Amino acid sequence: MTQETFHQLTHLVLDSPMKPPANLFAKGFDDWHARARLAHFLAMPQLGKIDEAIELFRTVAPEDVDEENAEDVEEKVFALQKLADIERKIDGKGEDALRHIDEAIELAESTDFLYKYILRGELWGDRWNIMHQLKMGKEAEAEVDERIEAYKDIPVEHVSYLYYGYRFKAMMAAERGVTLVAKDYMHMALHSMEIPEAYEAGLEKAFSATHDNASWILNEVDRATPNPDTVHWDI
């Protein structure tokens, strides 16, 4: 991508109804943070500039970060996570998605920071879903079991590794049509999450379904579950 194209795309975003602050891109094309931020906006449905977003995100992948700066690390991790999410939805790009989510995990776990937005467990959940998409479901389940074994007895309550691990196992059980097992795994997942009282009635209603459409039940549970980005996590 040229400087001129970057400049044109920046103005496309700035002139859009989203109207982000111009200082997000102030350092221009040579700053990987500006390229990553522009890519996030271009990938939004309102603009749908997916090819341009991918091109920019891929220029961020080889960039160095300040590993003493949590925000710097988190910004690159988020860019890699979003790139993987875009790639997994494109035919033939699953291997690229897996590589980029692995890079995100490696970077996120290279520090002890408790990030503001990134959840390490969610990154692993993305990895397992991509693996399942690539017909590597058994390998993914084995990794889930390893993560659960490693974190199930640590002395904190809200563990993203356990939530996303048990949630993946619930999804796999639902695909196999084993409804009670899927429900059990989702109960275990939610035990690892902070659940505000306002959500309890909705979750109880979702779990109370008596039919055997496990995937439908899990969708209803997800709809009744607080957004993981809005609750407290210990790890």
Side-chain angles (χ1 to χ4, degrees):
M1 182 174 292
T2 65
Q3 295 267 6
E4 182 180 356
T5 302
F6 178 86
H7 183 74
Q8 291 170 348
L9 291 170
T10 299
H11 279 281
L12 175 68
V13 170
L14 291 174
D15 294 339
S16 74
M18 293 177 283
K19 297 190 182 301
N23 63 3
L24 290 177
F25 320 111
K27 293 184 179 180
F29 180 78
D30 291 336
D31 178 50
W32 70 259
H33 307 81
R35 299 199 304 274
R37 293 164 193 166
L38 182 61
H40 282 293
F41 282 100
L42 293 174
M44 290 180 178
Q46 298 94 313
L47 295 178
K49 295 284 187 179
I50 298 299
D51 291 342
E52 293 85 348
I54 291 173
E55 184 176 355
L56 284 169
F57 276 133
R58 286 180 175 171
T59 70
V60 173
E63 295 284 354
D64 294 328
V65 300
D66 178 0
E67 295 191 3
E68 301 301 316
N69 183 328
E71 291 182 0
D72 207 49
V73 174
E74 186 167 26
E75 185 158 12
K76 182 173 177 182
V77 170
F78 185 37
L80 290 166
Q81 183 184 29
K82 182 61 179 179
L83 174 57
D85 182 61
I86 294 171
E87 290 172 330
R88 66 178 289 200
K89 298 169 185 173
I90 300 173
D91 287 345
K93 297 296 183 182
E95 293 288 350
D96 291 335
L98 185 60
R99 183 177 75 257
H100 287 126
I101 199 63
D102 285 348
E103 290 175 8
I105 291 170
E106 182 178 5
L107 179 57
E109 297 198 333
S110 69
T111 79
D112 294 327
F113 296 128
L114 184 60
Y115 303 112
K116 291 181 180 178
Y117 308 108
I118 293 295
L119 287 174
R120 292 171 175 85
E122 183 182 20
L123 297 174
W124 279 94
D126 289 349
R127 171 177 163 79
W128 297 325
N129 282 306
I130 293 168
M131 290 175 71
H132 180 45
Q133 186 175 318
L134 292 171
K135 312 299 184 188
M136 300 168 63
K138 288 185 178 180
E139 294 91 332
E141 284 190 276
E143 288 189 3
V144 169
D145 290 339
E146 289 176 1
R147 291 281 123 183
I148 290 173
E149 187 63 29
Y151 288 95
K152 67 179 183 179
D153 295 323
I154 64 173
V156 293
E157 290 186 70
H158 307 123
V159 182
S160 65
Y161 291 107
L162 296 180
Y163 172 73
Y164 285 98
Y166 283 123
R167 188 174 180 275
F168 182 80
K169 289 176 75 71
M171 181 191 77
M172 296 297 286
E175 287 188 5
R176 295 174 183 132
V178 191
T179 304
L180 290 178
V181 174
K183 283 185 176 182
D184 282 346
Y185 279 136
M186 272 311 300
H187 276 298
M188 295 167 78
L190 292 171
H191 280 313
S192 299
M193 181 189 229
E194 179 186 57
I195 305 292
E197 187 176 345
Y199 289 86
E200 291 177 0
L203 284 168
E204 184 176 349
K205 180 180 178 181
F207 277 112
S208 68
T210 56
H211 56 74
D212 276 332
N213 189 335
S215 295
W216 185 92
I217 293 171
L218 291 189
N219 282 334
E220 289 300 296
V221 170
D222 275 344
R223 286 160 57 91
T225 299
N227 185 329
D229 292 339
T230 66
V231 298
H232 166 75
W233 296 95
D234 295 307
I235 187 170

